[in-house]
Amino acid sequence: MRALLVVNPRATTTSERSRDVLVRALRSAVDLTVEYTTRRGHAASLARAAAESGVDVVVTLGGDGTVNEAVNGLMTAPTALAPLPGPRSQRLPALAVVPGGSTNVFARALGLPRDWADGTSVILDGLRDGRHRVIGLGRADDRYFTFAAGVGLDAAVVRRVEQARLRGRTSTPALYFRSIAGHFLTGDDRKTPPLSIERPGEPAEAELGTVIVQNTAPWTYLGDRAINPSPLASFDRGLDVLALRKLAMINTSRTMAQLAAGRTPQGKQILQLHDQPEFTVVASRPQAFQLDGDYLGERQKVHFVSVPEALRVIC
């Protein structure tokens, strides 16, 4: 079995020594090639080339951003796009994820341990036993995502956190809550919510302040606590949506408190949609946009599609 290990050398929870241990462990089970990413988008290029060359498994060591790039590389490889018979997931290399980031939402949503060494043990057992599951993905315009996307407040907070990390701050729950408060107090979307959701054959849902899209549950983690706006979201179903109709101070603070406590948000300002095959988020003015916790700039229109049975994952 041939495998490619894609390593993000800036992965926050591993060292050069631990990476060497991982490489030796994987080489005991597969014919392994190791590549280190050097720039944004490099993991996608490496995964795409691996699919073209007939590699059996792509293993990532990094955070959710590295996983997202690798998935997009696999899903845009010629063998994935070709109109061939049979499931696309069977034509692509399987994906194995070694948790190496600060949060590792995708790996934990698959049931993998938080620790990279324990996660590696699970992956080795899966490789030796041929154990995997087939999962669905989400797609936003032409980019795939594994667990979540957001337009509006959610994505603006991701942008603030990324900016803080560039200044040397550590990603912590406190940093996220300070970023929420900072954007909420300075943003201009509370009085005139700019977002709407359009679905085929359904009336539009307008005057929304933020839209959170989930391909699985949970949406994210605060330390050990799962944050679950849409607890019914699943890799085996369509996309789930939680949106806030208005960003009034009291109601939004209540919603944030419910999320922080691990509860499903309730209230008249909440819009929830379950198992959606497709929809479009439209904004009256440019809004922040994120996929899998990676800020991607501002958008005024994003088309979301559920892509069932897209990828095999070692678990």
Side-chain angles (χ1 to χ4, degrees):
M1 181 184 295
R2 294 172 57 210
L4 170 68
L5 173 62
V6 178
V7 179
N8 180 350
R10 295 181 296 175
T12 57
T13 59
T14 60
S15 64
E16 184 176 355
R17 181 178 179 182
S18 59
R19 289 193 291 268
D20 289 341
V21 172
L22 170 64
V23 168
R24 289 197 298 271
L26 289 173
R27 282 191 169 139
S28 70
V30 296
D31 177 10
L32 186 70
T33 300
V34 182
E35 296 281 0
Y36 286 78
T37 60
T38 58
R39 63 187 183 278
R40 193 181 183 104
H42 195 190
S45 299
L46 293 171
R48 189 179 301 112
E52 293 176 26
S53 68
V55 163
D56 300 295
V57 182
V58 171
V59 185
T60 63
L61 173 61
D64 289 309
T66 304
V67 175
N68 180 276
E69 285 194 13
V71 166
N72 275 274
L74 292 173
M75 296 300 294
T76 56
T79 187
L81 301 175
L84 298 173
R88 174 168 47 180
S89 60
Q90 299 302 315
R91 305 198 300 267
L92 291 172
L95 176 70
V97 178
V98 179
S102 58
T103 310
N104 304 302
V105 178
F106 179 63
R108 294 164 73 181
L110 288 170
L112 290 171
R114 291 183 65 180
D115 180 74
W116 71 267
D118 293 337
T120 300
S121 178
V122 172
I123 289 169
L124 287 172
D125 288 343
L127 289 170
R128 291 171 179 140
D129 298 341
R131 187 173 62 243
H132 69 268
R133 65 178 291 190
V134 178
I135 66 168
L137 297 170
R139 192 177 73 233
D141 292 337
D142 59 352
R143 177 121 178 208
Y144 293 87
F145 60 98
T146 62
F147 63 91
V151 184
L153 172 64
D154 164 48
V157 170
V158 170
R159 176 177 58 197
R160 281 178 172 260
V161 170
E162 285 192 2
Q163 291 170 344
R165 292 181 67 181
L166 288 174
R167 296 192 300 267
R169 302 291 300 277
T170 302
S171 179
T172 63
L175 176 59
Y176 274 89
F177 279 105
R178 282 196 297 270
S179 299
I180 291 170
H183 180 79
F184 193 74
L185 293 173
T186 59
D188 61 356
D189 294 335
R190 283 188 291 149
K191 296 180 180 178
T192 55
L195 299 173
S196 62
I197 296 176
E198 299 176 356
R199 294 179 289 163
E202 299 286 345
E205 298 283 356
E207 295 189 337
L208 304 173
T210 189
V211 175
I212 294 171
V213 183
Q214 288 182 235
N215 184 53
T216 191
W219 167 46
T220 190
Y221 291 87
L222 289 179
D224 292 329
R225 179 177 296 167
I227 305 301
N228 241 337
S230 300
L232 296 180
S234 168
F235 289 124
D236 302 319
R237 301 190 183 97
L239 302 174
D240 277 29
V241 176
L242 180 137
L244 300 184
R245 297 187 185 278
K246 294 184 182 295
L247 296 180
M249 178 72 76
I250 294 176
N251 288 338
T252 304
S253 299
R254 182 185 302 119
T255 299
M256 294 299 108
Q258 290 171 340
L259 287 172
R263 292 154 48 199
T264 302
Q266 304 289 331
K268 291 187 291 185
Q269 84 280 11
I270 300 293
L271 169 68
Q272 290 183 302
L273 303 174
H274 175 57
D275 195 15
Q276 299 296 301
E278 67 173 310
F279 56 90
T280 302
V281 176
V282 180
S284 60
R285 53 187 178 273
Q287 293 292 294
F289 171 53
Q290 67 91 6
L291 289 183
D292 286 346
D294 189 11
Y295 177 67
L296 297 179
E298 294 186 333
R299 301 286 193 278
Q300 281 194 259
K301 186 176 183 179
V302 184
H303 184 58
F304 290 93
V305 178
S306 172
V307 185
E309 299 182 344
L311 195 63
R312 290 178 298 132
V313 181
I314 305 298
C315 60

